Amino acid sequence: MAYSELIKNFEKIRSYMRDFYIYGFKGRDEFNTRSSRIYDDEYRRVKGWLEGYIDSYYNESGKKVFISIDSRAIFHNPLYVAFKTKSFTDWDITLHFFLLDILADGPATAKDCLTRITEEYLKDFPAEFPDEGTVRNKLKEYEKMGVLVSRKEGRNVVYAIAEGLENLPAWRDAIHFFSETMPLGVIGTYFPQGVESAFEFKHQYLFGALDSEILYDLAECMRENRWVEITIFSRRKKQELRHTIFPIRFYLSTQTGRQYVLGYHDRHHKLMFFRLDGIRRLKALDVESRPEQYEALWEDFDRHLWGISTGTHALDHLEMLIHVEPDEYFIVERLQREKRHGTVEQVDDSTWKFTADVYDAGEMMPWVRTFIGRIDRLECSNRFFLERLRDDFAAMRRMYGGDGHAV
Amino acid sequence: MLFNEYYSEYYACVSEIINEALDGTLTEARLIDITRRKGFAESVLTIPEHLKDGTWPLITKDFGTPLHHYPIHPETLLQKR
């Protein structure tokens, strides 16, 4: 098949872009493809879409290609461009412009549209004419998308352009902000971009954009209270695995940028997290007749979550005494803001206690470390947590402790 | 559906070309220029050719257009939600 910049199926290019961007360690001969010609085509496509953002380096095993983006130097996530590359037929694009042009004059039936297309729009072209079925299908497709509306007049169906959003330019800043900060932000880039965005971002997680289609399909299933079958590729077992879950919530990490779906697993009978970037595809299944039982399960489960680790044993109990001077109330405010499901209480004039019962105290380690220098006492029922912290302190002492070789 | 040709960069590019044709200022050079600016790296190999040879009968031989109105792009339900 002749090469085209456009693609039919997003999932295929998604896996290539993820391997280029997130890993960037693979060379041409490490791709699991039927032929190197396929690698060359996909590389050519991604390079064409992301011109200026592709870089490469050489090591002992050859050339490695990766996507290189400085989030401080861009106004939009460049990965969104992949969502604007769907292939189409010649009639798709032709009828898109013809039908919207005809309906701009006023409502019309499919037959009216066909008459105008053949007698007026195509009169200067040697092109073949579309049949009425093709025109009707395109009108129905656009009605389903919300672009057109229809009404019955006797035996005829009359189509018209649907009402647009009011005062769209006034929403420009909100749309720009949404498109770069929220899940499914790619939808914001479907609006006319017009002027440059007023926003720049110092820290931005870009690669989550590639999982937008999965996130959208899951969100639709959640809206309809449906079970889903997700297909995941296990790198450890080197095979695809299928799981049937009732999706309940999305979890988005501001620390790592990773996106997860939490769902009730029908075979393991428990709540489990799945990374969205690991999900290859999903299939909507039946509607759950009693979704409220899973909502209640989630409320109970969420009470002891710190991140996404559900642990393997009883809850870890952690207590931390923090020293706070009278003019350092901002530390208390920070504890209140970041405590998640923990509690914060004052012990005395200069001491505050943070308490939490979580599935896995190990997830709290990076956060606990930010209070080093203020911790009067730290207790945890998970001895591995305390041992790890002590080992870290010992390593720091060796590095900075001022022995004879210290710099 | 999130991945749909309705939001295609090609549609946006052709839309701008039709705008220029309706203004009476479209030329071969402008056709190439708009495609280079609005399309992808290799779009210049596809879009101008399809418009000129009538595969997409949207631009006439004299760089006019059979369309009467500047192309519109009504918001979909996905965008409205």
Side-chain angles (χ1 to χ4, degrees), chain A residues 119-145:
Chain A
E119 293 179 5
E120 190 184 323
Y121 287 76
L122 289 177
K123 69 175 172 34
D124 293 328
F125 297 93
E128 59 179 83
F129 297 151
D131 58 52
E132 191 172 330
T134 305
V135 173
R136 198 183 300 281
N137 285 341
K138 181 54 79 177
L139 289 166
K140 279 185 183 168
E141 180 193 335
Y142 277 15
E143 184 186 12
K144 197 170 170 199
M145 287 174 68

Side-chain angles (χ1 to χ4, degrees), chain A residues 5 44 105 120 145 190, chain B residues 2 10 42-43 68-69 77:
Chain A
E5 284 186 307
R44 187 175 161 188
D105 286 333
E120 190 184 323
M145 287 174 68
Y190 290 162
Chain B
L2 206 60
Y10 271 38
E42 295 187 34
S43 301
H68 306 293
H69 307 278
L77 274 175

Side-chain angles (χ1 to χ4, degrees), chain A residues 3 5-8 10 44 48-49 51 81-86 88 90 92-94 96-98 100-101 104-105 116 120-122 125 138 141-142 144-147 161-165 168 187 190-191 212-213 216 220 223, chain B residues 1-12 14-16 18 22 39-47 50-51 53-61 65-81:
Chain A
Y3 169 80
E5 284 186 307
L6 306 180
I7 53 172
K8 203 168 171 181
F10 188 74
R44 187 175 161 188
W49 301 342
E51 211 175 12
V81 75
F83 289 90
K84 299 174 185 176
T85 61
K86 177 100 175 24
F88 48 84
D90 297 331
D92 279 331
I93 189 169
T94 306
H96 167 84
F97 287 103
F98 281 178
L100 291 176
D101 197 64
D105 286 333
R116 284 193 65 181
E120 190 184 323
Y121 287 76
L122 289 177
F125 297 93
K138 181 54 79 177
E141 180 193 335
Y142 277 15
K144 197 170 170 199
M145 287 174 68
V147 174
I161 295 174
E163 254 185 63
L165 289 170
L168 187 57
I187 299 172
Y190 290 162
F191 290 92
S212 296
E213 209 181 24
Y216 176 77
E220 285 287 276
R223 195 170 60 85
Chain B
M1 244 173 26
L2 206 60
F3 188 53
N4 192 290
E5 68 268 15
Y6 190 82
Y7 312 112
S8 163
E9 206 77 349
Y10 271 38
Y11 279 34
V14 171
S15 194
E16 187 163 325
I18 293 172
L22 282 166
F40 304 120
E42 295 187 34
S43 301
V44 73
L45 300 174
T46 312
I47 294 177
H50 280 27
L51 288 171
D53 70 12
T55 306
W56 302 339
L58 301 165
I59 299 293
T60 58
K61 287 205 182 318
T65 175
L67 273 63
H68 306 293
H69 307 278
Y70 289 113
I72 55 171
H73 208 81
E75 296 90 30
T76 60
L77 274 175
L78 181 73
Q79 291 171 284
K80 287 174 187 169
R81 275 200 226 143

